[in-house]
């Protein structure tokens, strides 16, 4: 009801809301039907609408009343559009409240129970007893009341007098660009993402992944300003998600009152984040791409869960559309999740939930794609990829906080194209059979996984370690299940057939087990988010969930039986460091110096 505050009447389309006030839901009355009409009218006017009430009691007058009201409404909308060319003021848009009986023209009474005009009309008003055919006559009478013999000829074909009211083919839903948005779709103008890369060599600098990505998206916005082909949607989180570079070229879409101390507000903008509602933002993005444009919805990771079912319904819609030859391709539904579970210094436990990945992994493999870029350059490559795709639901999980950067843009491009690979510079197996495999998916798991490798190598220099990083999560599953899945041969060449795998994962550990349960190597030990957390430091979050470098190393020592002398020293060191961490957190509330000052050093 409040979207009218951000519509630009000059450049945007107009939605005509029709509230069908028929009184009931599945078994209860509707709230708006049980308040006085004066209160309903005041509510709608208070939301900024001009309501037209169409109350009908018989079919003969219903069509005429609705048609004449529609004529009035269309004239009013045209006046609004004409005025908007001269002055940008928020108009009061029209809407219609259509009042009729629920189940109108259906059976009135069945077995002494009222049907028409009650909640009973919501589902199956006439149930047929298959044994004695009871109420079959009622069903027949109801269906015949629509006089099908007058509508169709003896061959079942619609009579010409009625067929003439059908719209011409180019105006029918399947061929109308407003409802078949792919008919309007134009490719984005996209700059070369490599131009936005940061110069990095395996952990030598820190940067904020989301801010780097935002410089790229800023110019995507800029290059598509004239064709108005790209928007970013967020529930009041664009700045919080470190995407301030966008406001160098655009403002927030806004058509309410503007005060002198407001920031980045204007009548038209390519950023839509003025409404704090995940439902509204996700719904607007769906509408935007369904009508032939491109966009991204960026959200706090925990609160994307508010729209789980909306995303699911879009995925189901895409699956069915793929079976319809006349349905044109549309831009993918792109979901960029940040402010994630591993760093919530001031929000805490309530803001920790990586479960969207678990939710979407069950959807059709032809539709869903999930990416966990470990640094800024891989995030650039990933975003460049997803905004070019069609007919997918793309999920990208990224960090917004300063953190070490790992791959050059050349390395990042190659790595993202593969989706999964061994990082030779972080491995000590020299391409031969390793003693242990350490894998990571996600920015925080990558950091801790590399710190674990460094720790193992320091204490156990002869240990042969293979480090694997996963960007495309669906590479872990079989190619028989998902088009991105690896063959068993390729999977085994990475993870081996029998070595133990210590997997540091961004989300819930069960997801990795679900993706890999049919693989040859079942020696998978996953560390991930285990519903432990509070308002605390980033490293303490990792310790609480046992995804930190010390707990990863201790897990390695469970499965590596040689190098006992070195292993004993490392085991003691890890336990001592965890004790020191607990003491320091309790007394000072900061991470230990060994963690704060840690940097990757080239393996000798």
């Amino acid at each position: 009801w409040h979207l009218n505050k951000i519509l630009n009447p000059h450049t945007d389309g107009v939605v005509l809301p029709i509230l069908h006030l028929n009184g009931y839901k599945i078994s209860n009355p509707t709230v708006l039907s049980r308040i006085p009409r004066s209160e309903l009218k005041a509510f709608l006017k208070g939301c900024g609408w001009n309501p037209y009430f169409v109350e009908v009691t018989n079919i003969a007058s219903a069509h005429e009343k609705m048609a004449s009201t529609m004529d009035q409404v269309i004239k009013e909308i045209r006046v609004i559009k004409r005025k908007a060319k001269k002055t940008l003021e928020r108009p009061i848009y029209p809407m219609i409240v259509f009042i009729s009986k629920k189940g109108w023209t259906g059976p009135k009474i069945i077995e002494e129970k009222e049907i028409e005009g009650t909640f009973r009309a919501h589902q199956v008003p006439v149930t047929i007893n298959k044994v004695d055919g009871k109420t079959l006559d009622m069903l027949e009478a109801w269906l015949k009341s629509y006089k099908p013999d007058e509508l169709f000829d003896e061959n079942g074909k619609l009579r010409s007098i009625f067929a003439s009211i059908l719209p011409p083919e180019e105006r029918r839903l399947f061929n109308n660009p407003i409802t078949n948005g792919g008919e309007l779709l134009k490719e984005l103008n996209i700059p070369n993402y490599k131009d936005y890369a940061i110069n990095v060599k395996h952990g030598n600098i820190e940067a904020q992944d989301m801010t780097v990505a935002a410089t790229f998206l800023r110019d995507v916005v800029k290059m598509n300003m004239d064709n108005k082909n790209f928007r970013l949607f967020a529930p009041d989180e664009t700045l919080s998600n470190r995407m301030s570079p966008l406001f160098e070229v655009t403002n927030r879409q806004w058509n309410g009152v503007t005060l002198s101390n407001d920031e980045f507000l204007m009548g038209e903008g390519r950023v839509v984040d003025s409404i704090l509602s995940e439902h509204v933002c996700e719904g607007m993005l769906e509408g935007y791409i369904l009508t032939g444009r491109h966009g991204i919805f960026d959200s706090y990771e925990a609160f994307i869960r508010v729209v789980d079912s909306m995303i699911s319904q879009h995925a189901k819609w895409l699956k069915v559309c793929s079976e319809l030859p006349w349905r044109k391709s549309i831009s993918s539904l792109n979901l960029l999740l940040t402010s994630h579970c591993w760093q919530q210094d001031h929000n805490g436990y309530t803001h920790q939930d990586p479960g969207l990945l678990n939710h979407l992994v069950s959807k059709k493999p032809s539709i869903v794609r999930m990416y966990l870029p470990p640094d800024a350059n891989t995030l650039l490559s990933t975003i460049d990829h997803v905004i070019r795709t069609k007919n997918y639901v793309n999920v990208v999980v990224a960090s917004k906080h300063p953190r070490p950067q790992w791959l050059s843009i050349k390395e990042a491009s190659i790595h993202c194209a593969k989706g999964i690979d061994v990082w030779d510079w972080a491995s000590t197996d020299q391409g031969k059979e390793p003693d242990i495999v350490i894998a990571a998916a996600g920015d925080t798991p990558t950091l801790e996984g590399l710190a674990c490798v460094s720790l193992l190598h320091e204490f156990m220099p002869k240990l042969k370690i293979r480090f694997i990083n996963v960007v495309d999560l669906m590479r872990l599953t079989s190619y028989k299940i998902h088009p991105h899945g690896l063959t068993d041969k390729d999977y085994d060449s990475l993870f081996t057939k029998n070595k133990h795998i210590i997997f540091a994962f961004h989300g819930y550990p069960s997801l990795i087990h679900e993706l890999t349960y049919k693989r040859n190597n079942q020696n998978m030990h996953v560390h991930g988010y285990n519903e432990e957390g509070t308002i605390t430091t980033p490293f303490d979050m990792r310790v609480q969930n046992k995804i930190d470098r010390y707990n990863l190393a201790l897990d390695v020592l469970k499965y590596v039986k040689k190098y006992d002398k070195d292993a004993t020293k490392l085991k003691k060191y890890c336990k001592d460091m965890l004790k020191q961490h607990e003491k320091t957190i309790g007394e000072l509330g900061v991470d230990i110096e060994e963690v704060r000052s840690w940097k990757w050093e080239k393996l000798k």
Side-chain angles (χ1 to χ4, degrees), residues 266 348 424:
M266 66 177 293
D424 291 328

Side-chain angles (χ1 to χ4, degrees), residues 98-113:
F98 178 66
I99 305 165
S100 69
K101 288 184 178 180
K102 192 175 186 72
W104 198 22
T105 75
K108 290 179 171 50
I109 296 177
I110 296 179
E111 297 180 344
E112 300 181 355
K113 291 183 178 179

Side-chain angles (χ1 to χ4, degrees), residues 371-413:
Y371 303 98
L372 291 91
D375 65 1
N377 285 341
T378 51
L379 179 58
L380 283 170
S381 178
T382 301
I383 291 179
D384 175 76
H385 168 70
V386 300
I387 64 175
R388 296 175 187 271
T389 63
K390 307 290 187 297
N391 301 331
Y392 294 150
V393 174
N394 291 313
V395 181
V396 181
V397 184
S399 168
K400 71 178 187 180
H401 294 286
R403 63 180 55 250
Q405 301 297 311
W406 308 113
L407 301 183
S408 69
I409 194 62
K410 182 178 179 180
E411 291 172 322
S413 301

Side-chain angles (χ1 to χ4, degrees), residues 1-7 43 46-49 90 254 275 280:
W1 291 117
H2 290 292
L3 284 182
N4 49 20
K5 279 74 173 179
I6 62 171
L7 288 176
F43 169 74
C47 289
W49 299 93
R90 181 166 70 87
W254 178 253
I275 292 183
V280 170

Side-chain angles (χ1 to χ4, degrees), residues 420-422 429 433-441 449 452-453 456 463-470 475-477 486 488 490-505 509 512-513 515-528 546-547 551-560:
I420 183 173
D421 204 6
V422 175
D429 62 344
E433 190 78 355
D435 295 320
I436 194 79
V437 176
I438 297 177
C452 175
V453 169
L456 290 168
L463 184 68
K464 295 192 288 291
I465 307 165
R466 178 176 297 173
F467 184 82
I468 296 173
N469 187 266
V470 183
R475 298 293 275 165
L476 294 173
T477 197
L486 293 174
D488 285 338
D490 288 340
Y491 184 91
D492 291 344
S493 71
L494 290 169
F495 290 99
T496 78
K497 288 186 177 182
N498 55 14
K499 298 301 181 182
H500 287 275
I501 305 161
I502 309 301
F503 201 121
F505 178 50
I512 300 301
H513 290 295
L515 291 171
T516 61
Y517 81 104
K518 284 189 175 182
R519 295 300 190 180
N520 293 320
N521 189 345
Q522 287 299 301
N523 295 315
M524 180 70 76
H525 316 284
V526 187
H527 295 241
K546 292 183 166 50
I547 197 176
N551 275 298
L552 292 176
L554 288 171
D555 208 10
V556 169
L557 298 180
K558 292 179 185 177
Y559 307 106
V560 175

